[in-house]
Amino acid sequence: MQVLRWMMLGAAGLALAGCGSKTETTKTDTTTVTTNTDGSMMSNGMDMAPAAASAGQAFANAAAASDAFEIETSKLAQGQSQSAAIKRFADAMIKAHTESTAKLKTAASAAMPAITPDPALTAAQQQVLDSLKPLKGAEFDKAYAAAQVDAHQKTLDAVKATVGNKDVPQPLRDFATKLIPTVTAHLNMAKGLKA
């Protein structure tokens, strides 16, 4: 009987190994937690979502993605716009958001524990960037201006929310506070492009 039990356990282990799922199991007095290779967890056989990013990490990622989005869309504007005003705005955005990225990295590294911002665009940002790529001239200018107003409004809302969020490390809240006037100015400039 003992041999049969070991054979069944061995077969089950081979079956799990064969499907490519690697897990690590930790036992406590009352709960068994299994961590899958994708970072999700199972507790007593029940799937649990991966741990959410900290508020500081979430803000740092959003700020980094916002900078990356502004830089990438503005690089497109340099080559695809027919408007001198749009091109000047795009140049200013590339400069300002490159500087913002450096300041963000400094603030994030000063957090305890240090945070590394992830500049990966969100799905919505990537979709807007992709929608701008085939456009040229006046059609591009209109879409770019609208995207800039939307992006800066969302950034301003996120920055203002972060300032009072005690779950965000102080260096990032200080960064957010200093960013409000700049983002507000960029938003007003972008609104002027649409006129």
Side-chain angles (χ1 to χ4, degrees):
M1 188 64 151
Q2 190 72 2
V3 172
L4 181 59
R5 189 175 303 153
W6 284 109
M7 287 176 57
M8 289 178 68
L9 285 173
L14 286 174
L16 280 176
C19 70
S21 175
K22 294 183 181 178
T23 60
E24 179 181 308
T25 302
T26 307
K27 277 197 179 254
T28 63
D29 289 341
T30 58
T31 306
T32 301
V33 176
T34 302
T35 306
N36 298 318
T37 54
D38 66 357
S40 64
M41 291 185 253
M42 293 182 352
S43 176
N44 292 339
M46 305 280 295
D47 281 336
M48 295 173 13
S54 71
Q57 184 70 60
F59 171 70
N61 291 351
S66 176
D67 284 342
F69 175 79
E70 294 301 329
I71 291 167
E72 290 306 310
T73 56
S74 295
K75 285 179 179 177
L76 283 177
Q78 290 175 323
Q80 293 174 220
S81 175
Q82 69 180 15
S83 164
I86 294 272
K87 288 184 178 189
R88 279 192 305 275
F89 177 83
D91 289 343
M93 292 305 97
I94 291 169
K95 181 179 186 298
H97 287 279
T98 300
E99 291 170 0
S100 173
T101 297
K103 290 175 184 175
L104 171 63
K105 288 178 181 177
T106 299
S109 67
M112 290 296 173
I115 293 173
T116 302
D118 180 359
L121 299 183
T122 66
Q125 289 169 327
Q126 187 63 54
Q127 184 178 14
V128 171
L129 179 62
D130 291 343
S131 74
L132 290 172
K133 288 179 180 178
L135 304 178
K136 302 278 187 229
E139 188 179 22
F140 175 88
D141 293 344
K142 183 178 177 183
Y144 173 77
Q148 292 304 309
V149 169
D150 183 59
H152 282 95
Q153 184 62 62
K154 287 178 180 172
T155 299
L156 183 59
D157 294 343
V159 167
K160 285 181 176 179
T162 298
V163 170
N165 186 345
K166 301 290 186 204
D167 292 331
V168 175
Q170 190 63 49
L172 287 171
R173 285 187 286 153
D174 292 345
F175 166 77
T177 300
K178 292 174 186 170
L179 206 55
I180 290 174
T182 303
V183 176
T184 301
H186 289 176
L187 175 60
N188 291 332
M189 289 167 58
K191 286 178 178 177
L193 295 174
K194 290 179 71 172

